[in-house]
């Protein structure tokens, strides 16, 4: 349990205030974490507040050593801790854990203004560049099987090199042109043949 009556009352208040808040985490009755920023936000950070036996008459221990904060530079962490300690001095003798978390939430942008946004991205990019591309599967493509009749028809359409003769798809071009009639341009049958022959 919490060491003194003030701590017990603050613990009950914190549990009530942050009930259902995914950013808040009670590590023990005297130690708490709060994530400032949305999950996935590159400028989000985690604050841990622990109460010594004589808290709130003495300052709580504030830490940013959680693994979650590994992408934040040491200078930014130190700056945040210094600003929080100013707030601690102003609230000494009173329940201040909620105040510290709210102060950090309100000043998140100021705290993190010099933190580069792409720290995580650059690490993942360097990993991606260093790994060779491995094909997902080495499955052979299955060739379509043709019947003897289909093979004979295909052979009749193609020349001895396996290529289709020039103009084999002209009917498709004529169908295509006749489907898409342009309102400002009327095409005569004579013109369609010319278009199909020259490919214009």
């Amino acid at each position: 349990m919490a060491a003194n009556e003030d701590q017990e009352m603050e613990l009950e208040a914190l549990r009530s205030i942050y009930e259902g808040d995914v950013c808040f985490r009670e590590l023990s009755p005297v130690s708490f974490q709060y994530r400032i920023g949305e999950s996935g936000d590159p400028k989000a950070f985690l604050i841990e507040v622990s109460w010594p036996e004589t808290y709130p008459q003495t300052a709580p221990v504030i830490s940013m050593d959680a693994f979650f904060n590994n992408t934040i530079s040491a200078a930014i962490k130190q700056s945040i801790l210094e600003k929080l300690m100013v707030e601690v001095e102003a609230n000494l003798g009173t329940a201040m854990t909620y105040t510290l978390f709210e102060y950090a939430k309100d000043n998140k942008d100021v705290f993190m203004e010099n933190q580069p946004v792409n720290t995580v991205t650059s690490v993942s990019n360097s990993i991606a560049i260093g790994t060779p591309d491995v094909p997902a599967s080495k499955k052979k493509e299955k060739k379509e099987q043709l019947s003897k009749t289909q093979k004979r028809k295909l052979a009749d359409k193609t020349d001895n090199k396996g290529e289709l003769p020039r103009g084999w798809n002209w009917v498709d071009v004529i169908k295509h042109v006749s489907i898409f009639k342009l309102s400002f341009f009327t095409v005569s049958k004579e013109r369609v043949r010319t278009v199909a022959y020259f490919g214009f």
Side-chain angles (χ1 to χ4, degrees):
M1 270 313 277
N4 61 46
E5 198 174 308
D6 289 337
Q7 290 183 10
E8 287 177 15
M9 286 176 30
E10 186 173 357
L11 177 60
E12 285 179 32
L14 288 171
R15 286 175 176 166
S16 171
I17 291 167
Y18 292 119
E19 184 180 352
D21 188 341
V22 294
C23 296
F24 177 77
R25 189 168 163 212
E26 182 182 330
L27 302 175
S28 76
V30 294
S31 186
F32 312 93
Q33 284 183 341
Y34 198 87
R35 184 185 74 230
I36 310 299
E38 295 297 316
S39 182
D41 179 358
K43 292 195 174 188
F45 58 93
L46 195 73
I47 296 174
E48 187 173 320
V49 175
S50 301
W51 300 338
E53 283 184 34
T54 52
Y55 171 84
Q57 280 66 41
T58 57
V61 177
I62 303 172
S63 170
M64 290 191 67
D65 295 334
F67 180 78
F68 187 87
N69 296 330
N70 278 358
T71 59
I72 300 171
S73 71
I76 299 286
K77 288 182 195 176
Q78 187 60 38
S79 171
I80 293 171
L81 290 173
E82 286 170 4
K83 289 172 183 164
L84 288 171
M85 286 313 291
V86 170
E87 203 61 24
V88 167
E89 294 299 321
N91 290 289
L92 209 53
T94 62
M96 68 179 88
T97 305
Y98 171 79
T99 306
L100 293 173
F101 290 155
E102 292 303 307
Y103 174 76
K105 281 166 57 177
D106 293 342
N107 293 287
K108 173 188 171 266
D109 294 333
V110 176
F111 289 170
M112 300 298 283
E113 66 185 350
N114 294 325
Q115 173 67 21
V117 178
N118 59 353
T119 306
V120 175
T121 310
S122 63
V123 171
S124 64
N125 283 348
S126 64
I127 291 169
I129 291 167
T131 56
D133 291 335
V134 180
S137 64
K138 295 182 179 180
K139 210 174 192 181
K140 290 184 179 179
E141 286 187 31
K142 194 173 183 180
K143 290 186 178 178
E144 187 180 335
Q145 296 294 323
L146 299 175
S147 67
K148 286 185 180 180
T149 310
Q150 289 173 324
K151 288 179 184 176
R152 232 180 275 124
K153 284 182 180 177
L154 185 64
D156 290 343
K157 289 182 183 177
T158 60
D159 60 7
N160 61 354
K161 296 178 186 173
E163 293 179 8
L164 294 169
R166 186 170 180 268
W168 69 273
N169 63 347
W170 288 357
V171 173
D172 292 339
V173 171
I174 293 170
K175 282 181 188 174
H176 178 74
V177 170
S178 65
I179 289 171
F180 296 103
K181 292 181 180 176
L182 302 175
S183 60
F184 62 90
F185 185 68
T186 307
V187 181
S188 66
K189 286 186 179 181
E190 205 66 355
R191 179 76 178 143
V192 172
R193 284 191 201 117
T194 309
V195 168
Y197 183 75
F198 289 105
F200 297 120

